[in-house]
Amino acid sequence: MTIQELMERAGIKETTLAIAWMKDAFHLIQSNAKEHTKVQKINIIDGIRKYPFPADMISLKSISVKDTTDSKYKKIRRLVGEPTVTEDTDPE
């Protein structure tokens, strides 16, 4: 289907506006597509804060940590700065 056919069906007279809408639609479709999604597992080491990521990685969707008490993965939120660490001397 050509741009002119789309314009006739939509009732649009301005070519630049129709092209802009189509480009926006293509970008929206591309940004919502889930292509090349991989899952990678890394063991957590006590005292290590930074871990390597694959060189071909573009974005990070989420990070989950396996809870040993109930054997389920739980998502953790992103830390912007250093975490605040306090020692809990009273367990109650």
Side-chain angles (χ1 to χ4, degrees):
M1 185 174 279
T2 64
I3 294 174
Q4 186 168 352
E5 290 172 342
L6 289 171
M7 290 173 57
E8 289 171 359
R9 287 186 180 199
I12 301 171
K13 304 264 189 235
E14 298 176 36
T15 307
T16 54
L17 181 61
I19 292 172
W21 282 349
M22 283 186 273
K23 285 183 180 179
D24 286 345
F26 288 133
H27 286 278
L28 183 63
I29 291 168
Q30 288 174 346
S31 66
N32 289 336
K34 306 272 190 235
E35 285 189 36
H36 308 295
T37 303
K38 294 182 192 176
V39 174
Q40 182 174 356
K41 295 183 180 183
I42 301 173
N43 291 330
I44 297 175
I45 302 168
D46 190 26
I48 302 294
R49 182 159 161 75
K50 296 181 180 180
Y51 293 91
F53 291 107
D56 62 344
M57 185 175 87
I58 295 173
S59 67
L60 180 65
K61 261 182 89 172
S62 68
I63 296 177
S64 298
V65 177
K66 188 172 184 178
D67 187 358
T68 56
T69 58
D70 59 1
S71 295
K72 292 183 180 177
Y73 284 94
K74 299 190 177 177
K75 285 188 178 181
I76 58 172
R77 59 187 179 92
R78 181 174 181 248
L79 296 175
V80 178
E82 290 290 322
T84 305
V85 179
T86 57
E87 187 177 333
D88 186 12
T89 55
D90 186 14
E92 294 180 32

Coordinates of all heavy atoms in Angstrom, one line a residue:
M1 N 0.8 -1.2 0.0 CA 0.0 0.0 0.0 C 0.9 1.2 0.0 O 1.9 1.3 0.7 CB -0.9 0.0 1.2 CG -1.9 1.1 1.3 SD -3.1 0.9 2.6 CE -4.2 -0.2 2.0
T2 N 0.6 2.2 -0.8 CA 1.4 3.4 -0.9 C 0.9 4.5 0.1 O -0.2 4.4 0.6 CB 1.3 4.0 -2.4 OG1 0.0 4.4 -2.6 CG2 1.8 3.0 -3.4
I3 N 1.7 5.5 0.2 CA 1.3 6.6 1.1 C 0.1 7.3 0.6 O -0.8 7.7 1.4 CB 2.5 7.6 1.2 CG1 3.7 7.0 1.9 CG2 2.1 8.9 1.9 CD1 4.9 7.8 1.9
Q4 N 0.0 7.4 -0.7 CA -1.2 8.1 -1.3 C -2.5 7.3 -1.0 O -3.5 7.9 -0.7 CB -1.0 8.3 -2.8 CG -2.2 9.1 -3.4 CD -1.9 9.5 -4.8 OE1 -0.8 9.4 -5.3 NE2 -2.9 10.1 -5.5
E5 N -2.4 6.0 -1.1 CA -3.6 5.1 -0.8 C -4.0 5.3 0.7 O -5.2 5.3 1.0 CB -3.3 3.7 -1.1 CG -3.2 3.4 -2.6 CD -2.7 2.0 -2.9 OE1 -2.1 1.3 -2.0 OE2 -2.9 1.5 -4.0
L6 N -3.0 5.3 1.6 CA -3.3 5.5 3.0 C -3.9 6.9 3.2 O -4.8 7.0 4.0 CB -2.0 5.4 3.8 CG -1.4 3.9 3.9 CD1 -0.1 4.0 4.6 CD2 -2.4 3.1 4.8
M7 N -3.4 7.9 2.6 CA -3.9 9.2 2.7 C -5.4 9.3 2.2 O -6.2 9.9 2.9 CB -3.1 10.3 2.0 CG -1.7 10.5 2.6 SD -0.6 11.5 1.6 CE -1.6 13.0 1.4
E8 N -5.7 8.6 1.1 CA -7.1 8.6 0.6 C -8.0 7.9 1.6 O -9.1 8.4 1.8 CB -7.1 8.0 -0.8 CG -6.5 8.8 -1.9 CD -6.3 8.0 -3.2 OE1 -6.7 6.8 -3.2 OE2 -5.8 8.7 -4.1
R9 N -7.5 6.8 2.1 CA -8.4 6.0 3.1 C -8.6 6.8 4.3 O -9.7 6.7 4.9 CB -7.8 4.7 3.4 CG -7.9 3.7 2.2 CD -7.4 2.4 2.6 NE -7.5 1.4 1.5 CZ -7.5 0.1 1.7 NH1 -7.4 -0.4 2.9 NH2 -7.6 -0.7 0.6
A10 N -7.6 7.5 4.8 CA -7.7 8.3 6.1 C -8.3 9.6 5.9 O -8.7 10.3 6.8 CB -6.4 8.4 6.7
G11 N -8.4 10.1 4.6 CA -9.0 11.4 4.3 C -8.0 12.5 4.7 O -8.4 13.6 5.1
I12 N -6.7 12.3 4.5 CA -5.7 13.3 4.9 C -5.2 13.9 3.6 O -4.9 13.2 2.6 CB -4.5 12.7 5.6 CG1 -5.0 12.0 6.9 CG2 -3.4 13.7 5.9 CD1 -3.9 11.2 7.6
K13 N -5.1 15.3 3.6 CA -4.6 16.0 2.4 C -3.1 16.3 2.5 O -2.5 16.5 1.4 CB -5.4 17.3 2.2 CG -6.9 17.0 2.1 CD -7.4 16.9 0.7 CE -8.9 16.9 0.6 NZ -9.4 15.8 -0.1
E14 N -2.6 16.4 3.7 CA -1.2 16.9 3.8 C -0.2 15.6 3.9 O -0.3 14.8 4.7 CB -1.0 17.6 5.1 CG -1.8 18.9 5.2 CD -1.7 19.6 6.5 OE1 -0.7 19.5 7.1 OE2 -2.8 20.1 7.0
T15 N 0.7 15.6 2.9 CA 1.6 14.5 2.8 C 2.6 14.4 4.0 O 2.8 13.3 4.5 CB 2.4 14.6 1.5 OG1 1.5 14.7 0.4 CG2 3.2 13.3 1.2
T16 N 3.1 15.6 4.4 CA 4.1 15.6 5.4 C 3.5 15.1 6.8 O 4.1 14.4 7.5 CB 4.7 17.0 5.6 OG1 3.7 17.9 5.8 CG2 5.6 17.4 4.4
L17 N 2.2 15.4 7.0 CA 1.6 15.0 8.2 C 1.3 13.5 8.2 O 1.6 12.8 9.2 CB 0.2 15.7 8.4 CG -0.6 15.4 9.6 CD1 0.1 15.7 10.9 CD2 -2.0 16.1 9.5
A18 N 0.9 13.0 7.0 CA 0.7 11.5 6.9 C 2.0 10.8 7.1 O 2.1 9.7 7.8 CB 0.1 11.2 5.5
I19 N 3.1 11.2 6.5 CA 4.4 10.6 6.7 C 4.9 10.6 8.2 O 5.4 9.7 8.7 CB 5.5 11.2 5.8 CG1 5.1 10.9 4.3 CG2 6.9 10.7 6.1 CD1 6.0 11.6 3.3
A20 N 4.6 11.8 8.8 CA 5.0 11.9 10.2 C 4.2 10.9 11.1 O 4.8 10.3 12.0 CB 4.8 13.3 10.7
W21 N 2.9 10.8 10.8 CA 2.1 9.8 11.6 C 2.6 8.4 11.4 O 2.6 7.6 12.3 CB 0.7 9.9 11.2 CG 0.0 11.1 11.9 CD1 0.4 11.9 12.9 CD2 -1.3 11.6 11.5 NE1 -0.5 12.8 13.2 CE2 -1.6 12.7 12.4 CE3 -2.3 11.3 10.6 CZ2 -2.7 13.4 12.4 CZ3 -3.5 12.0 10.6 CH2 -3.7 13.1 11.5
M22 N 2.9 8.0 10.1 CA 3.4 6.7 9.8 C 4.8 6.4 10.5 O 5.0 5.3 11.0 CB 3.5 6.5 8.3 CG 2.2 6.2 7.7 SD 2.3 5.8 5.9 CE 2.3 7.4 5.2
K23 N 5.7 7.4 10.5 CA 6.9 7.2 11.2 C 6.7 7.0 12.7 O 7.4 6.2 13.3 CB 7.9 8.4 10.9 CG 8.5 8.5 9.6 CD 9.4 9.6 9.4 CE 10.0 9.7 8.0 NZ 10.9 10.8 7.9
D24 N 5.8 7.8 13.2 CA 5.5 7.6 14.7 C 5.0 6.2 15.0 O 5.3 5.6 15.9 CB 4.5 8.7 15.1 CG 5.1 10.1 15.3 OD1 6.3 10.2 15.3 OD2 4.3 11.0 15.4
A25 N 4.1 5.7 14.1 CA 3.5 4.4 14.2 C 4.6 3.3 14.1 O 4.6 2.4 14.9 CB 2.5 4.2 13.2
F26 N 5.5 3.5 13.2 CA 6.6 2.5 13.0 C 7.5 2.5 14.3 O 7.9 1.5 14.8 CB 7.5 2.8 11.8 CG 6.8 2.4 10.5 CD1 6.8 3.3 9.4 CD2 6.1 1.2 10.4 CE1 6.1 3.0 8.3 CE2 5.4 0.9 9.2 CZ 5.4 1.8 8.1
H27 N 7.8 3.7 14.8 CA 8.7 3.8 16.0 C 8.0 3.2 17.2 O 8.6 2.5 18.0 CB 9.0 5.3 16.3 CG 10.1 5.8 15.4 ND1 11.4 5.6 15.5 CD2 9.9 6.6 14.3 CE1 12.1 6.2 14.6 NE2 11.2 6.8 13.8
L28 N 6.7 3.4 17.3 CA 5.9 2.8 18.4 C 5.9 1.3 18.3 O 6.1 0.6 19.3 CB 4.5 3.3 18.4 CG 3.5 2.9 19.5 CD1 4.1 3.4 20.9 CD2 2.1 3.4 19.3
I29 N 5.7 0.8 17.1 CA 5.7 -0.7 17.0 C 7.1 -1.3 17.3 O 7.2 -2.3 18.0 CB 5.3 -1.1 15.5 CG1 3.8 -0.8 15.3 CG2 5.6 -2.5 15.2 CD1 3.4 -0.8 13.8
Q30 N 8.2 -0.6 16.9 CA 9.5 -1.1 17.1 C 9.8 -1.0 18.6 O 10.5 -1.9 19.2 CB 10.5 -0.3 16.3 CG 10.5 -0.6 14.9 CD 11.4 0.4 14.1 OE1 11.9 1.4 14.6 NE2 11.7 0.0 12.8
S31 N 9.4 0.0 19.3 CA 9.7 0.2 20.7 C 9.0 -0.8 21.6 O 9.4 -1.1 22.7 CB 9.5 1.6 21.2 OG 8.1 1.9 21.1
N32 N 7.8 -1.3 21.1 CA 7.0 -2.3 21.9 C 7.4 -3.7 21.6 O 7.0 -4.6 22.3 CB 5.5 -2.1 21.6 CG 5.0 -0.8 22.3 OD1 5.6 -0.3 23.2 ND2 3.9 -0.3 21.7
A33 N 8.2 -3.9 20.6 CA 8.6 -5.3 20.2 C 9.6 -5.8 21.2 O 10.5 -5.1 21.6 CB 9.1 -5.3 18.8
K34 N 9.5 -7.1 21.5 CA 10.4 -7.7 22.4 C 11.4 -8.6 21.7 O 11.2 -9.8 21.6 CB 9.6 -8.6 23.5 CG 8.5 -7.8 24.2 CD 9.1 -7.2 25.4 CE 8.0 -6.7 26.2 NZ 8.0 -5.3 26.5
E35 N 12.3 -8.0 21.0 CA 13.3 -8.8 20.2 C 14.5 -9.1 21.0 O 15.0 -8.3 21.8 CB 13.7 -8.0 19.0 CG 12.6 -8.0 17.9 CD 13.1 -7.4 16.6 OE1 14.3 -7.6 16.3 OE2 12.3 -6.7 16.0
H36 N 15.1 -10.3 20.7 CA 16.4 -10.7 21.3 C 16.5 -10.5 22.8 O 17.4 -10.0 23.4 CB 17.5 -9.9 20.7 CG 17.5 -9.9 19.2 ND1 17.7 -11.0 18.4 CD2 17.2 -8.9 18.3 CE1 17.6 -10.7 17.1 NE2 17.3 -9.4 17.0
T37 N 15.4 -11.0 23.5 CA 15.4 -10.9 24.9 C 16.1 -12.2 25.5 O 15.8 -13.3 25.1 CB 14.0 -10.9 25.5 OG1 13.3 -9.8 24.9 CG2 13.9 -10.8 27.0
K38 N 17.1 -11.9 26.4 CA 17.9 -13.0 26.9 C 17.7 -13.0 28.5 O 17.5 -11.9 29.0 CB 19.4 -12.9 26.6 CG 19.7 -13.0 25.2 CD 21.3 -12.9 25.1 CE 21.7 -12.8 23.7 NZ 23.2 -12.6 23.6
V39 N 17.9 -14.1 29.1 CA 18.0 -14.2 30.5 C 19.4 -14.7 30.9 O 19.8 -15.7 30.3 CB 16.9 -15.2 31.1 CG1 17.1 -15.4 32.6 CG2 15.5 -14.7 30.7
Q40 N 20.0 -14.0 31.8 CA 21.3 -14.4 32.2 C 21.3 -14.5 33.8 O 20.8 -13.6 34.4 CB 22.4 -13.4 31.8 CG 23.8 -13.8 32.2 CD 24.8 -12.9 31.6 OE1 24.6 -12.0 30.9 NE2 26.1 -13.1 32.0
K41 N 21.9 -15.6 34.3 CA 22.0 -15.8 35.7 C 23.5 -15.7 36.2 O 24.4 -16.2 35.5 CB 21.5 -17.2 36.1 CG 20.0 -17.3 35.8 CD 19.4 -18.6 36.2 CE 17.9 -18.7 35.9 NZ 17.3 -19.9 36.4
I42 N 23.6 -14.9 37.3 CA 25.0 -14.7 37.8 C 24.8 -15.0 39.3 O 23.9 -14.6 40.0 CB 25.5 -13.3 37.6 CG1 25.5 -13.0 36.1 CG2 26.8 -13.1 38.3 CD1 25.9 -11.5 35.8
N43 N 25.8 -15.7 39.9 CA 25.8 -15.9 41.3 C 26.3 -14.7 42.1 O 27.2 -14.0 41.6 CB 26.7 -17.1 41.7 CG 26.2 -18.4 41.3 OD1 25.0 -18.6 41.2 ND2 27.1 -19.3 40.9
I44 N 25.6 -14.3 43.1 CA 26.0 -13.1 43.9 C 27.1 -13.5 44.9 O 27.0 -14.5 45.5 CB 24.7 -12.6 44.7 CG1 23.7 -12.2 43.7 CG2 25.2 -11.5 45.6 CD1 22.4 -11.8 44.4
I45 N 28.1 -12.7 44.9 CA 29.3 -12.9 45.8 C 29.3 -11.8 46.9 O 29.1 -10.6 46.5 CB 30.6 -12.9 45.0 CG1 30.5 -13.9 43.9 CG2 31.8 -13.1 45.9 CD1 31.6 -13.8 42.9
D46 N 29.4 -12.2 48.1 CA 29.4 -11.2 49.2 C 30.5 -10.2 49.0 O 31.7 -10.6 48.8 CB 29.6 -12.0 50.5 CG 29.3 -11.1 51.7 OD1 28.6 -10.1 51.6 OD2 29.9 -11.4 52.8
G47 N 30.2 -8.9 49.1 CA 31.1 -7.9 49.1 C 31.3 -7.3 47.6 O 31.9 -6.3 47.5
I48 N 30.8 -8.0 46.6 CA 30.9 -7.5 45.3 C 29.7 -6.7 44.9 O 28.5 -7.2 45.1 CB 31.1 -8.7 44.3 CG1 32.3 -9.5 44.6 CG2 31.2 -8.2 42.8 CD1 33.6 -8.8 44.5
R49 N 29.9 -5.5 44.5 CA 28.7 -4.6 44.1 C 28.5 -4.5 42.6 O 27.4 -4.3 42.2 CB 29.0 -3.2 44.7 CG 27.8 -2.3 44.5 CD 27.9 -1.2 45.5 NE 27.1 0.0 45.1 CZ 25.8 0.1 45.1 NH1 25.1 -1.0 45.5 NH2 25.2 1.1 44.7
K50 N 29.5 -4.7 41.8 CA 29.4 -4.5 40.4 C 29.6 -5.8 39.7 O 30.6 -6.5 40.1 CB 30.4 -3.4 39.9 CG 30.1 -2.1 40.4 CD 31.0 -1.0 39.9 CE 30.7 0.3 40.5 NZ 31.6 1.4 40.0
Y51 N 28.8 -6.1 38.7 CA 28.9 -7.4 38.0 C 29.0 -7.1 36.5 O 28.4 -6.1 36.0 CB 27.7 -8.3 38.3 CG 27.7 -8.8 39.7 CD1 27.1 -8.1 40.7 CD2 28.4 -9.9 40.1 CE1 27.1 -8.5 42.0 CE2 28.4 -10.4 41.4 CZ 27.7 -9.6 42.3 OH 27.7 -10.1 43.6
P52 N 29.7 -7.9 35.7 CA 29.8 -7.7 34.3 C 28.5 -8.0 33.5 O 27.8 -8.9 33.9 CB 30.9 -8.6 33.8 CG 30.9 -9.7 34.8 CD 30.5 -9.1 36.1
F53 N 28.2 -7.3 32.5 CA 27.1 -7.5 31.6 C 27.6 -7.9 30.2 O 28.7 -7.5 29.8 CB 26.2 -6.3 31.6 CG 25.5 -6.0 32.8 CD1 25.8 -5.0 33.6 CD2 24.4 -6.8 33.3 CE1 25.2 -4.7 34.8 CE2 23.8 -6.6 34.5 CZ 24.2 -5.5 35.2
P54 N 26.8 -8.6 29.4 CA 27.2 -8.9 28.1 C 27.5 -7.7 27.2 O 26.8 -6.6 27.4 CB 26.0 -9.7 27.5 CG 25.2 -10.1 28.7 CD 25.5 -9.1 29.8
A55 N 28.5 -7.8 26.4 CA 28.9 -6.6 25.5 C 27.8 -6.2 24.6 O 27.7 -5.1 24.2 CB 30.1 -7.0 24.8
D56 N 26.9 -7.2 24.1 CA 25.9 -6.8 23.2 C 24.6 -6.4 23.9 O 23.6 -6.2 23.2 CB 25.6 -8.0 22.3 CG 25.1 -9.2 23.0 OD1 25.3 -9.3 24.3 OD2 24.6 -10.2 22.4
M57 N 24.6 -6.2 25.2 CA 23.4 -5.7 25.9 C 23.0 -4.3 25.6 O 23.9 -3.4 25.6 CB 23.6 -5.9 27.4 CG 22.3 -5.6 28.2 SD 22.5 -6.0 29.9 CE 23.1 -4.4 30.5
I58 N 21.8 -4.0 25.3 CA 21.3 -2.7 25.0 C 20.6 -2.0 26.2 O 20.9 -0.9 26.6 CB 20.4 -2.6 23.8 CG1 21.2 -3.1 22.5 CG2 19.8 -1.3 23.6 CD1 20.4 -3.3 21.3
S59 N 19.7 -2.8 26.8 CA 19.0 -2.3 28.0 C 18.8 -3.4 29.0 O 18.8 -4.6 28.6 CB 17.7 -1.6 27.6 OG 16.8 -2.6 27.1
L60 N 18.6 -3.1 30.2 CA 18.3 -4.0 31.3 C 16.9 -3.9 31.7 O 16.4 -2.8 32.1 CB 19.2 -3.7 32.5 CG 19.1 -4.6 33.7 CD1 19.6 -6.0 33.4 CD2 20.0 -4.0 34.8
K61 N 16.1 -4.9 31.6 CA 14.7 -4.9 32.0 C 14.5 -5.0 33.5 O 13.8 -4.1 34.1 CB 13.9 -6.1 31.3 CG 13.2 -5.7 30.1 CD 12.5 -6.9 29.5 CE 11.1 -7.0 30.1 NZ 10.3 -8.0 29.5
S62 N 15.0 -6.0 34.1 CA 14.8 -6.1 35.6 C 15.9 -7.0 36.1 O 16.6 -7.7 35.4 CB 13.5 -6.7 35.9 OG 13.4 -8.1 35.4
I63 N 16.0 -7.0 37.5 CA 17.0 -7.8 38.2 C 16.2 -8.5 39.3 O 15.4 -7.9 40.0 CB 18.1 -7.0 38.8 CG1 18.9 -6.4 37.7 CG2 19.0 -7.9 39.7 CD1 20.1 -5.5 38.3
S64 N 16.3 -9.8 39.4 CA 15.7 -10.6 40.4 C 16.7 -11.4 41.2 O 17.7 -11.8 40.7 CB 14.7 -11.6 39.7 OG 13.7 -11.0 39.0
V65 N 16.4 -11.6 42.5 CA 17.3 -12.3 43.4 C 16.5 -13.5 44.0 O 15.3 -13.3 44.3 CB 17.8 -11.4 44.5 CG1 18.6 -12.2 45.5 CG2 18.6 -10.3 43.9
K66 N 17.1 -14.7 44.0 CA 16.4 -15.8 44.5 C 16.4 -15.8 46.1 O 17.4 -15.7 46.7 CB 17.0 -17.1 44.0 CG 16.2 -18.3 44.4 CD 16.8 -19.6 43.7 CE 15.9 -20.8 44.0 NZ 16.4 -22.0 43.3
D67 N 15.2 -15.8 46.6 CA 15.1 -15.8 48.1 C 15.2 -17.2 48.6 O 14.5 -18.1 48.2 CB 13.7 -15.2 48.5 CG 13.5 -15.0 50.0 OD1 14.5 -15.4 50.7 OD2 12.5 -14.6 50.4
T68 N 16.2 -17.5 49.4 CA 16.5 -18.9 49.8 C 15.4 -19.4 50.8 O 15.3 -20.6 51.0 CB 17.8 -19.0 50.5 OG1 17.9 -18.0 51.6 CG2 18.9 -18.7 49.5
T69 N 14.6 -18.5 51.4 CA 13.6 -19.0 52.4 C 12.4 -19.7 51.7 O 11.9 -20.7 52.2 CB 13.1 -17.9 53.3 OG1 12.6 -16.8 52.5 CG2 14.2 -17.3 54.1
D70 N 12.0 -19.1 50.5 CA 10.9 -19.8 49.9 C 11.2 -20.2 48.4 O 10.3 -20.5 47.7 CB 9.6 -18.9 49.9 CG 9.9 -17.5 49.3 OD1 11.0 -17.2 48.8 OD2 8.9 -16.7 49.3
S71 N 12.4 -20.1 48.0 CA 12.9 -20.5 46.7 C 12.2 -19.8 45.5 O 11.9 -20.5 44.5 CB 12.8 -22.0 46.5 OG 13.7 -22.7 47.4
K72 N 11.9 -18.6 45.7 CA 11.2 -17.8 44.6 C 12.1 -16.6 44.3 O 12.8 -16.1 45.1 CB 9.9 -17.3 45.1 CG 8.8 -18.4 45.3 CD 7.5 -17.8 45.7 CE 6.5 -18.8 45.9 NZ 5.2 -18.3 46.3
Y73 N 12.1 -16.2 43.0 CA 12.8 -15.0 42.6 C 12.0 -13.8 42.9 O 10.8 -13.7 42.6 CB 13.1 -15.1 41.1 CG 14.2 -16.1 40.7 CD1 14.0 -17.4 40.4 CD2 15.5 -15.7 40.8 CE1 15.0 -18.3 40.1 CE2 16.6 -16.5 40.5 CZ 16.3 -17.8 40.1 OH 17.3 -18.7 39.8
K74 N 12.7 -12.8 43.4 CA 12.0 -11.5 43.8 C 12.7 -10.4 43.1 O 14.0 -10.3 43.1 CB 12.0 -11.3 45.3 CG 11.3 -12.5 46.0 CD 11.0 -12.2 47.4 CE 10.2 -13.4 48.0 NZ 10.0 -13.3 49.4
K75 N 12.0 -9.5 42.5 CA 12.6 -8.4 41.8 C 13.1 -7.4 42.8 O 12.5 -7.2 43.8 CB 11.5 -7.7 40.9 CG 11.3 -8.4 39.6 CD 10.4 -7.6 38.7 CE 10.1 -8.4 37.4 NZ 9.3 -7.7 36.5
I76 N 14.2 -6.8 42.5 CA 14.8 -5.7 43.3 C 14.8 -4.4 42.5 O 14.9 -4.4 41.3 CB 16.2 -6.1 43.8 CG1 17.2 -6.3 42.7 CG2 16.1 -7.3 44.7 CD1 18.6 -6.4 43.1
R77 N 14.6 -3.3 43.2 CA 14.6 -2.0 42.5 C 16.0 -1.5 42.3 O 16.9 -1.9 43.0 CB 13.7 -1.0 43.3 CG 14.1 -0.7 44.7 CD 13.1 0.1 45.4 NE 13.5 0.4 46.7 CZ 14.2 1.5 47.1 NH1 14.5 2.4 46.2 NH2 14.5 1.6 48.3
R78 N 16.2 -0.6 41.4 CA 17.5 -0.1 41.1 C 17.9 0.9 42.2 O 17.2 1.7 42.6 CB 17.4 0.7 39.8 CG 18.7 1.2 39.3 CD 18.5 1.8 37.9 NE 19.8 2.3 37.5 CZ 20.0 3.6 37.3 NH1 19.0 4.5 37.5 NH2 21.2 4.1 36.9
L79 N 19.2 0.8 42.5 CA 19.8 1.7 43.5 C 20.6 2.8 42.7 O 21.4 2.4 41.9 CB 20.8 1.0 44.4 CG 20.1 -0.1 45.4 CD1 21.2 -0.8 46.1 CD2 19.2 0.6 46.3
V80 N 20.3 4.0 43.0 CA 21.0 5.1 42.3 C 22.3 5.4 42.9 O 23.3 5.6 42.2 CB 20.1 6.4 42.3 CG1 20.8 7.5 41.6 CG2 18.8 6.1 41.6
G81 N 22.4 5.3 44.2 CA 23.6 5.6 44.9 C 24.0 4.4 45.8 O 23.5 3.3 45.6
E82 N 25.0 4.6 46.7 CA 25.4 3.6 47.6 C 24.3 3.3 48.5 O 23.5 4.2 49.0 CB 26.6 4.1 48.4 CG 27.9 4.2 47.6 CD 28.4 2.8 47.1 OE1 28.4 1.9 47.9 OE2 28.9 2.7 46.0
P83 N 24.1 2.0 48.9 CA 23.0 1.7 49.8 C 23.3 2.1 51.2 O 24.5 2.1 51.6 CB 22.9 0.1 49.7 CG 24.2 -0.3 49.2 CD 24.8 0.8 48.4
T84 N 22.3 2.4 52.0 CA 22.5 2.8 53.4 C 22.5 1.5 54.2 O 21.5 0.7 54.1 CB 21.3 3.7 53.9 OG1 21.2 4.8 53.0 CG2 21.6 4.1 55.3
V85 N 23.6 1.2 54.8 CA 23.8 0.0 55.6 C 23.8 0.3 57.1 O 24.6 1.2 57.5 CB 25.1 -0.7 55.2 CG1 25.2 -2.0 56.0 CG2 25.1 -1.0 53.7
T86 N 22.9 -0.3 57.8 CA 22.9 -0.1 59.3 C 23.0 -1.5 59.9 O 22.4 -2.5 59.4 CB 21.6 0.6 59.8 OG1 20.5 -0.1 59.3 CG2 21.6 2.0 59.2
E87 N 23.6 -1.6 61.1 CA 23.7 -2.9 61.8 C 22.5 -3.0 62.7 O 22.3 -2.1 63.5 CB 25.0 -3.0 62.5 CG 25.3 -4.3 63.1 CD 26.6 -4.4 63.8 OE1 27.5 -3.7 63.3 OE2 26.7 -5.2 64.7
D88 N 21.8 -4.1 62.6 CA 20.7 -4.3 63.5 C 21.2 -5.2 64.7 O 21.4 -6.4 64.5 CB 19.6 -5.0 62.7 CG 18.3 -5.2 63.6 OD1 18.2 -4.5 64.6 OD2 17.4 -5.9 63.2
T89 N 21.3 -4.5 65.8 CA 21.8 -5.2 67.0 C 20.7 -5.9 67.8 O 20.9 -6.8 68.5 CB 22.6 -4.3 67.9 OG1 21.8 -3.2 68.3 CG2 23.9 -3.8 67.2
D90 N 19.5 -5.4 67.6 CA 18.3 -5.9 68.3 C 17.4 -6.6 67.3 O 16.8 -6.0 66.5 CB 17.6 -4.8 69.0 CG 16.5 -5.3 69.9 OD1 16.4 -6.6 70.2 OD2 15.6 -4.5 70.3
P91 N 17.3 -8.0 67.3 CA 16.5 -8.7 66.3 C 15.0 -8.5 66.5 O 14.3 -8.9 65.6 CB 16.9 -10.1 66.5 CG 17.4 -10.2 67.9 CD 18.0 -8.9 68.2
E92 N 14.6 -7.8 67.5 CA 13.1 -7.7 67.7 C 12.7 -6.3 67.5 O 12.9 -5.3 67.1 CB 12.7 -8.1 69.1 CG 12.9 -9.6 69.3 CD 12.6 -10.0 70.6 OE1 11.6 -9.5 71.2 OE2 13.2 -10.9 71.1

